[in-house]
Amino acid sequence: MATSSYTSNNSQLSSQLKHEEWMTNLPKNLHDEPITKIAIPGTHDSFAYYLTRQAGPDLDTNLRRICFFIYPIIRNWSLTQDKTFTEQLYMGIRYFDLRVCRTTDTNLYSKSPFTFTHGLLGNLVRECLEEINEFLNKHTKEIILLDFNHFYDFNDQCGHDHLIHLVHEIFEKKLCTTARKITECTLNYLWNNKQQVILLYEQHPEQCTTYMDRIGHFFQICQSPWPNTPNIDELFLFLNETVSKSRPITC
């Protein structure tokens, strides 16, 4: 019985390591392939495993007025995950879909000027990025992609430069800042430069000039087509027409 238990525990540990360090364990023939040619598991609205009762700026104005009364309905629609960032990382997730708004709560602003949002406000951005950074500290050959693609209530006092600065502050040298094109980002390139974070930013680079050289040039290159339909036939038609099209070679 003791031997059986030991074998079972080893099997579980091996399975866990297979997911949490799957990039580390990729075969050598993939080490010089661009990261864009490697299938990377990701999550949609990656942060939406925890949401508060407070309506976010992305919620429809009419729904915002009655949010207090229909909160359970909105929450059921807004929740897209049931795992924290750390749990997602240990499961092998390496691409994160992030939607951010400016923090208007003065009590929270001192902790983080930004929070995640999907209909309802989520966790503070700083705390979640620090959680991700902790995982990367323990798994130095794992690479993640942070896709910031929706921004709400940004202004001159708290805008894109501030968010990019926050990302840089947390990840520091882990952030890929040396590659001029994302096709240059191979595993070997990133490992040799001790870089683990590729920042994808859905904003025109001219609005982020202050930190341009500090975060690389990966602006507006990640296509996220959305069919916006519950109809299966329409979904497949959309996929055939959109996703099957070849991407620009610069991506």
Side-chain angles (χ1 to χ4, degrees), residues 1-234:
M1 290 296 292
T3 302
S4 176
S5 176
Y6 177 78
T7 303
S8 176
N9 289 338
N10 269 355
S11 177
Q12 291 177 3
L13 179 60
S14 176
S15 177
Q16 182 182 10
L17 288 173
K18 181 179 179 181
H19 291 96
E20 72 180 76
E21 294 189 336
W22 69 266
M23 298 182 104
T24 306
N25 298 323
L26 283 173
K28 287 186 177 180
N29 64 302
L30 294 178
H31 292 183
D32 287 313
E33 289 289 340
I35 201 81
T36 52
K37 291 189 176 182
I38 298 176
I40 299 177
T43 46
H44 174 63
D45 290 315
S46 307
F47 53 88
Y49 55 86
Y50 168 79
L51 296 169
T52 68
R53 285 182 164 272
Q54 187 174 348
D58 53 330
L59 188 64
D60 179 86
T61 304
N62 294 323
L63 292 178
R64 206 176 305 164
R65 295 193 185 102
I66 58 174
C67 180
F68 177 82
F69 302 101
I70 62 170
Y71 162 75
I73 298 174
I74 296 175
R75 184 177 184 276
N76 286 340
W77 172 84
S78 297
L79 283 175
T80 60
Q81 308 299 329
D82 61 1
K83 299 287 187 289
T84 67
F85 277 115
T86 297
E87 290 171 326
Q88 291 180 50
L89 285 161
Y90 274 95
M91 290 172 63
I93 300 300
R94 296 294 179 267
Y95 166 88
F96 297 96
D97 166 29
L98 308 172
R99 306 175 185 214
V100 178
C101 69
R102 177 173 53 89
T103 303
T104 56
D105 187 322
T106 54
N107 294 324
L108 293 177
Y109 191 89
S110 59
K111 295 181 180 180
S112 174
F114 302 99
T115 185
F116 291 115
T117 182
H118 187 228
L120 300 169
L121 296 182
N123 280 321
L124 297 176
V125 172
R126 174 182 288 278
E127 293 179 354
C128 291
L129 295 186
E130 288 175 344
E131 181 181 341
I132 292 172
N133 192 47
E134 185 176 343
F135 173 87
L136 296 178
N137 286 336
K138 298 175 183 177
H139 304 82
T140 56
K141 297 185 77 173
E142 294 303 297
I143 312 300
I144 65 163
L145 293 89
L146 300 179
D147 183 10
F148 288 89
N149 52 66
H150 285 69
F151 311 95
Y152 303 94
D153 284 355
F154 279 29
N155 58 28
D156 292 339
Q157 287 71 43
C158 188
H160 295 288
D161 281 350
H162 302 83
L163 177 56
I164 292 173
H165 175 75
L166 174 63
V167 174
H168 184 84
E169 176 190 342
I170 292 172
F171 294 109
E172 297 181 325
K173 293 182 180 179
K174 291 188 187 75
L175 203 60
C176 180
T177 59
T178 53
R180 312 317 286 178
K181 294 181 180 179
I182 198 167
T183 48
E184 297 176 20
C185 294
T186 64
L187 291 176
N188 271 334
Y189 177 91
L190 295 165
W191 290 342
N192 291 337
N193 287 283
K194 301 186 185 306
Q195 297 171 348
Q196 294 177 265
V197 182
I198 295 175
L199 176 61
L200 307 175
Y201 208 81
E202 190 60 28
Q203 193 68 23
H204 196 281
E206 290 180 0
Q207 295 180 266
C208 311
T209 52
T210 302
Y211 295 99
M212 186 71 158
D213 289 333
R214 296 174 65 177
I215 65 165
H217 289 208
F218 310 138
F219 294 93
Q220 296 184 319
I221 67 168
C222 188
Q223 301 174 11
S224 301
W226 181 42
N228 191 22
T229 177
N231 184 283
I232 298 297
D233 292 333
E234 291 180 7

Side-chain angles (χ1 to χ4, degrees), residues 229-249:
T229 177
N231 184 283
I232 298 297
D233 292 333
E234 291 180 7
L235 172 61
F236 277 104
L237 179 62
F238 176 86
L239 291 174
N240 288 333
E241 293 179 350
T242 307
V243 180
S244 62
K245 294 179 182 178
S246 60
R247 293 174 296 176
I249 57 174

